[in-house]
Amino acid sequence: MFDSVIIGAGVAGCVAARDLAESGRKVLVLEQRDHIGGNCYDEKDEHGILIHKYGPHIFHTKEQKAYDYLSRFTDWYAFGHEVVANVHGKLIPVPFNLNTLHMVYEQEKADALEKKLIDAFGLESRVPILKLREHEIADYVYENIFLHYTMKQWGQTPEQIDPAVTGRVPVLISHDNRYFQEPWQGMPLHGYTLMFEKMLDHENITVEIGVDARSRVTFSEGSVSLDGQAFTGDVIYTGPLDELFDCRFGRLPYRSLRFDFEYYDKPDYQGHSVVNYTVSEDFTRITEFKYLTGQQAEGTTIVKEYPFAYTGAAGEIPYYSIANETNQKLYEQYRGLVEHIPNVWLLGRLAEYKYYNIDAMVLKALELTDKIKKDKEV
Ligand code: FAD
Ligand code: UDP
């Protein structure tokens, strides 16, 4: 009855489902949560404020293909996302840039430092903190922006984690206060959930929510079955790979988050969409949703994010894979269990154990479905 089964209805699963459905395949999507959209899911809270249940998601990309693809299913609220750090009560732009420099040093010193940085790296360049070490501002930026935030987020110092992670937020040798510099950035005008609903709204797609796929799909030596019958169509798995095999080699480590939402009966809480707490507090950041979405409302809802090590306990969600050699080896061990099943594909932040943004996920999903379509016509 189905040509393809997709496990998980996050970005990866939704894009893959739509693309395969448009090629004429009958697609079954199984999602264990009670909603689609994965971690991008948004909904109105009891006060009517559109919130992101799993933390703030801002779409940003330099890849027109990713933007064009999503634009088939949504219009956009376009804005340049800005973040400030609360450093001992003072709010300064992050990524640290030349404007930040002038806020934290007195004028003469800031002018001299600015010149040195431009001479060393060039105007408009992006310098990862770990490459800035010999420069005078490095100690300030490291101590006040990266060290404590990274300790909270990862339980490790910036040197101990994959350099690509802190490299996501380089020091900007420019006066650009935006968090992202890519040409396309903003929010789906009526939210992510509606965008994904439109994507899945296709005659060839059947979506079942509240279903743990492990109760329907079994993976064994070289083959896969659906509801007890051998299944030879393509299966795309977007969940955590270790949990598919009862963590038989041990758990793949992830960081998780607790989200504490608070509503205030006043129009403004912090005047910014995101404030990072880089030297104090147990939470990493506070997001005030109305500044992300542009929603006009009398009250306001915020969320605080408290990171912790994922244990697999009921209700916990694995959000961030932890890239290092040991974890990659363990991941490869699990990958070995599906590698020999020719119709099973791993896709997504969890199944590939990679730190993907939304745009990269869209492109990865389309790359995979192109391959599947090329290999087998229906
Ligand atoms: P997910 O969204 O995790 O979807 C996987 C789905 O599979 C889930 O719905 C899960 O329930 C389901 N599933 C798993 N196992 C099973 C099973 N056994 N049976 C059935 N279903 C199953 N990216 C950006 O571009 N911009 C941002 O601002 C941004 N902010 C982020 C903030 C946070 C706090 C986090 C954690 C991530 C952020 N991201 C951001 C990244 C973005 O969330 C990911 O790129 C995207 O969600 C990845 O999609 P996915 O489909 O791979 O994974
Ligand atoms: N980071 C930091 N201080 C900040 C912002 C980021 O130390 O004010 C570091 C931290 O290690 C974080 C990483 O840079 O995990 C990547 O930040 P990003 O905002 O991309 O994280 P995400 O939004 O994916 O959680």
Side-chain angles (χ1 to χ4, degrees):
M1 186 181 167
F2 292 106
D3 300 300
S4 309
V5 174
I6 294 183
I7 299 170
V11 188
C14 291
V15 171
R18 178 72 186 211
D19 200 52
L20 291 177
E22 287 178 351
S23 75
R25 286 167 171 78
K26 297 255 183 256
V27 182
L28 173 64
V29 179
L30 300 174
E31 168 55 56
Q32 68 185 2
R33 298 183 192 172
D34 62 1
H35 60 73
I36 61 160
N39 292 338
C40 296
Y41 175 75
D42 52 17
E43 65 182 6
K44 288 229 166 123
D45 67 8
E46 57 182 327
H47 309 284
I49 310 284
L50 186 66
I51 59 157
H52 295 185
K53 188 169 175 188
Y54 307 99
H57 280 73
I58 299 101
F59 178 72
H60 56 102
T61 192
K62 61 177 171 40
E63 301 291 342
Q64 182 159 7
K65 185 174 176 183
Y67 172 76
D68 285 348
Y69 189 80
L70 295 181
S71 301
R72 289 179 53 198
F73 309 102
T74 188
D75 291 328
W76 297 94
Y77 168 61
F79 78 112
H81 179 51
E82 294 188 10
V83 174
V84 290
N86 181 318
V87 179
H88 305 299
K90 182 171 176 152
L91 299 182
I92 58 172
V94 176
F96 191 96
N97 63 35
L98 297 177
N99 297 331
T100 325
L101 182 79
H102 284 273
M103 288 174 79
V104 301
Y105 292 99
E106 47 85 21
Q107 173 132 19
E108 210 172 304
K109 176 126 191 188
D111 286 344
L113 289 171
E114 173 169 341
K115 185 169 179 323
K116 268 196 195 160
L117 288 167
I118 294 173
D119 287 349
F121 301 106
L123 196 60
E124 303 299 329
S125 55
R126 304 161 62 80
V127 189
I129 177 64
L130 297 178
K131 292 225 166 107
L132 196 75
R133 290 322 299 264
E134 68 276 17
H135 278 264
E136 208 178 324
I137 64 161
D139 286 347
Y140 178 91
V141 179
Y142 182 83
E143 174 62 35
N144 291 291
I145 307 289
F146 284 96
L147 179 60
H148 306 284
Y149 187 104
T150 300
M151 282 304 297
K152 284 188 271 185
Q153 178 74 3
W154 298 98
Q156 291 180 294
T157 65
E159 287 82 2
Q160 288 170 320
I161 62 171
D162 179 356
V165 174
T166 48
R168 289 166 59 88
V169 189
V171 169
L172 302 181
I173 314 301
S174 76
H175 294 276
D176 186 348
N177 277 349
R178 293 173 309 162
Y179 203 64
F180 309 114
Q181 277 66 47
E182 291 116 310
W184 292 282
Q185 48 183 297
M187 312 295 288
L189 189 58
H190 302 292
Y192 285 94
T193 304
L194 193 67
M195 176 177 81
F196 290 117
E197 273 169 10
K198 285 194 176 156
M199 207 179 278
L200 293 178
D201 182 15
H202 188 284
E203 58 184 1
N204 287 342
I205 300 178
T206 303
V207 182
E208 293 185 31
I209 58 172
V211 177
D212 184 335
R214 290 171 296 183
S215 66
R216 303 277 297 277
V217 186
T218 23
F219 299 81
S220 51
E221 270 310 303
S223 69
V224 54
S225 58
L226 171 65
D227 296 330
Q229 308 278 317
F231 184 75
T232 54
D234 288 295
V235 176
I236 298 178
Y237 179 69
T238 75
L241 193 50
D242 54 346
E243 293 185 8
L244 197 54
F245 296 102
D246 298 325
C247 304
R248 66 174 71 160
F249 304 130
R251 274 200 178 278
L252 274 169
Y254 288 95
R255 293 297 282 176
S256 189
L257 295 168
R258 190 183 88 227
F259 294 104
D260 283 1
F261 290 85
E262 293 167 14
Y263 173 77
Y264 290 87
D265 200 6
K266 58 181 184 179
D268 170 66
Y269 177 81
Q270 61 182 17
H272 296 270
S273 50
V274 176
V275 178
N276 285 1
Y277 283 77
T278 54
V279 292
S280 59
E281 314 303 337
D282 294 334
F283 49 83
T284 49
R285 55 186 174 190
I286 299 183
T287 298
E288 186 167 3
F289 290 101
K290 66 198 305 191
Y291 290 107
L292 276 188
T293 58
Q295 184 178 356
Q296 302 293 321
E298 305 263 299
T300 192
T301 300
I302 62 155
V303 68
K304 295 175 179 166
E305 293 175 50
Y306 294 87
F308 64 94
Y310 177 68
T311 67
E316 283 184 7
I317 294 180
Y319 288 110
Y320 296 91
S321 53
I322 303 172
N324 64 38
E325 221 172 285
T326 313
N327 297 350
Q328 191 57 32
K329 271 200 191 130
L330 181 57
Y331 173 77
E332 296 300 336
Q333 236 182 316
Y334 282 109
R335 205 160 65 101
L337 298 174
V338 288
E339 225 161 38
H340 304 296
I341 317 181
N343 55 330
V344 172
W345 307 96
L346 303 175
L347 177 72
R349 238 192 188 211
L350 297 167
E352 294 181 69
Y353 203 63
K354 284 217 172 96
Y355 201 149
Y356 285 124
N357 285 333
I358 298 168
D359 62 331
M361 215 56 275
V362 170
L363 298 176
K364 260 314 244 188
L366 293 174
E367 202 179 288
L368 174 61
T369 49
D370 275 353
K371 180 171 165 36
I372 290 174
K373 289 185 289 185
K374 241 184 235 142
D375 285 354
K376 218 179 349 169
E377 295 283 324
V378 283

